[in-house]
C-alpha cells in the first residue's frame, strides 16, 4: 500500500492527540535522514540550537557529575550520551522509537551502543517515572514545539524533579514565528502576527495531520513555568557565532545576526506539582 502524500500545509488547529500521533510517525519516518544531516553538529556534545551554543561552555544545567538527569524529546540521545560521558546518570526519552534507535544502525566510536544512555520511548506529557526521580530535566528543541498542550509537559517535569531541581529547555525563539521560514532575504520581513497561536500543520492526502508545530509567546512560556511551580532564573538568547556559515532548518547567518533564533529557558523547581 502506498503511503499517503503531503496534501496541504498551512495554519489550522491541531489537537493534543493528533499532534502526538503526528509527532511520533513523522520522526519515526525521518529519523535516519535527520541523523545523517545533523550528526556532524550533534555527535559527542550537547548543543542548544542552530547557533551551536555548547553546554560544555554554557553550563546551563549546572554540575552534572553524579546527578540523575532526564532528557525529554531526546531524538537520537546525543545530548544524553555526552552527559553520561561527563559522569551523569542520564536517561533519554522520546516519543519516536525511530529517533532513539538512530545510532543503532551505524554506531560510531563516539556513539557506540555501550556509550549510549538508557533510552525510553515515552510521551513527554506522560513520563513513566516516579515522583522526585531526577535532579535535572532538559530538552534541546525537543517535545515542546510539537505538543498542543505544553502545560502537561511542565507539570510532568515538575512531578519527576526533586525540589530545587533544574528544568532547562530550548525552543525556536517565539519572535521567529512572525517571519517566513526562509534563510534568505525573504525571511527578514514579518508576515504573521506574533500573537497568532494557530499551529503550523501539514496533512496527508487523507486529511490526517502528519506534522504540527505549535507557537507560544515568551510570556506564555513564563506563565507555563510559574503555573507548574518553577522560578525562571535565566533566559538565554544565543547570538550567531563568527565562523558558522551553514544553514540549519532555514536558520542562516543572515537571519541569525539580526534576529534571535533560539530561546533557552533556565528554571528551578520551587513549588513541586505532585499527584
Amino acid at each position: 500500500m502506498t503511503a499517503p502524500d503531503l496534501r496541504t500545509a498551512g495554519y489550522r488547529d491541531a489537537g493534543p492527540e493528533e499532534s502526538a500521533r503526528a509527532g511520533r510517525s513523522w520522526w519515526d519516518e525521518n529519523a535516519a535522514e535527520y541523523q545523517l544531516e545533523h550528526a556532524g553538529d550533534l555527535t559527542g556534545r550537547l548543543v542548544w540550537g542552530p547557533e551551536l551554543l555548547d553546554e560544555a561552555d554554557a553550563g546551563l544545567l549546572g554540575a552534572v557529575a553524579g546527578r540523575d538527569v532526564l532528557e525529554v524529546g531526546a531524538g537520537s540521545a546525543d545530548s544524553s550520551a555526552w552527559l553520561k560521558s561527563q559522569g551523569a546518570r542520564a536517561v533519554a526519552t522520546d516519543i519516536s522509537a525511530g529517533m532513539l534507535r538512530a545510532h543503532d544502525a551505524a554506531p560510531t566510536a563516539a556513539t557506540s551502543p555501550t556509550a549510549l544512555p538508557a533510552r525510553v520511548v515515552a510521551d513527554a506529557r506522560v513520563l513513566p517515572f516516579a515522583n522526585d526521580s531526577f535532579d535535572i530535566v532538559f530538552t534541546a528543541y525537543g517535545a515542546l514545539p510539537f505538543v498542543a498542550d505544553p502545560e502537561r509537559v511542565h507539570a510532568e517535569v515538575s512531578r519527576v524533579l526533586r525540589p530545587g531541581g533544574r528544568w532547562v529547555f530550548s525552543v525556536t525563539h517565539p519572535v521567529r514565528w512572525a517571519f517566513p521560514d526562509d534563510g534568505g532575504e525573504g525571511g527578514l520581513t514579518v508576515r504573521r502576527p506574533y500573537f497568532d497561536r494557530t499551529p503550523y500543520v501539514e496533512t496527508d492526502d487523507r486529511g490526517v495531520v502528519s506534522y504540527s508545530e505549535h507557537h507560544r509567546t515568551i510570556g506564555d512560556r513564563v506563565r507555563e513555568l510559574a503555573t507548574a511551580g518553577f522560578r525562571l532564573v535565566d533566559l538565554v538568547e544565543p547570538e550567531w557565532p563568527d565562523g558558522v556559515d551553514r544553514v540549519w532548518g532555514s536558520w542562516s547567518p543572515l537571519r541569525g545576526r539580526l534576529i534571535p533564533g533560539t530561546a533557552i529557558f533556565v528554571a528551578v523547581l520551587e513549588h513541586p506539582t505532585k499527584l
Side-chain angles (χ1 to χ4, degrees):
M1 181 177 178
T2 303
D5 295 321
L6 175 66
R7 185 182 64 179
T8 63
Y11 296 88
R12 49 151 282 191
D13 289 336
E17 299 314 314
E18 59 183 344
S19 292
R21 286 192 298 270
R24 183 181 298 107
S25 60
W26 195 92
W27 288 105
D28 278 348
E29 182 177 343
N30 292 278
E33 180 181 353
Y34 184 87
Q35 184 63 20
L36 181 64
E37 180 179 358
H38 296 294
D41 287 327
L42 300 177
T43 301
R45 60 200 298 206
L46 192 174
V47 295
W48 289 106
E51 302 85 3
L52 302 184
L53 179 65
D54 200 309
E55 175 61 15
D57 300 319
L60 302 181
L61 299 180
V64 299
R67 301 293 185 90
D68 295 307
V69 182
L70 174 67
E71 181 178 12
V72 298
S76 54
D78 292 279
S79 297
S80 288
W82 178 79
L83 286 167
K84 183 179 177 183
S85 75
Q86 302 302 301
R89 293 183 293 272
V91 179
T93 69
D94 199 279
I95 198 170
S96 166
M99 285 299 292
L100 289 173
R101 291 196 302 262
H103 283 301
D104 294 350
T108 66
T111 56
S112 66
T114 56
L116 289 170
R119 292 170 288 170
V120 178
V121 177
D123 187 327
R125 304 171 305 155
V126 191
L127 295 171
F129 306 105
N131 294 356
D132 304 324
S133 293
F134 297 96
D135 301 300
I136 301 166
V137 183
F138 78 100
T139 184
Y141 271 75
L144 286 168
F146 308 105
V147 299
D149 45 356
E151 64 280 354
R152 289 183 60 185
V153 178
H154 296 294
E156 278 291 85
V157 171
S158 177
R159 181 183 65 79
V160 303
L161 263 178
R162 293 166 185 144
R166 184 165 286 214
W167 169 218
V168 184
F169 61 92
S170 65
V171 293
T172 299
H173 197 292
V175 75
R176 279 179 55 181
W177 193 256
F179 294 84
D181 201 15
D182 180 341
E185 293 284 347
L188 300 179
T189 302
V190 169
R191 299 295 185 194
R192 290 189 58 78
Y194 171 75
F195 299 103
D196 184 351
R197 296 164 179 83
T198 307
Y200 170 78
V201 174
E202 296 176 0
T203 62
D204 63 26
D205 57 13
R206 300 171 302 182
V208 175
V209 175
S210 56
Y211 178 89
S212 66
E213 191 165 343
H214 296 262
H215 167 60
R216 297 294 183 272
T217 68
I218 288 282
D220 291 338
R221 294 299 187 196
V222 172
R223 285 185 288 275
E224 290 166 8
L225 286 168
T227 299
F230 290 97
R231 175 173 57 88
L232 183 67
V233 297
D234 201 357
L235 174 56
V236 180
E237 299 167 293
E239 296 185 40
W240 193 269
D242 294 335
V244 177
D245 59 3
R246 58 98 183 92
V247 177
W248 181 342
S250 296
W251 204 246
S252 64
L254 173 66
R255 301 178 80 190
R257 294 190 178 104
L258 298 172
I259 308 165
T262 298
I264 311 169
F265 294 78
V266 183
V268 172
L269 182 61
E270 290 195 333
H271 307 288
T273 301
K274 311 297 182 187
L275 300 179

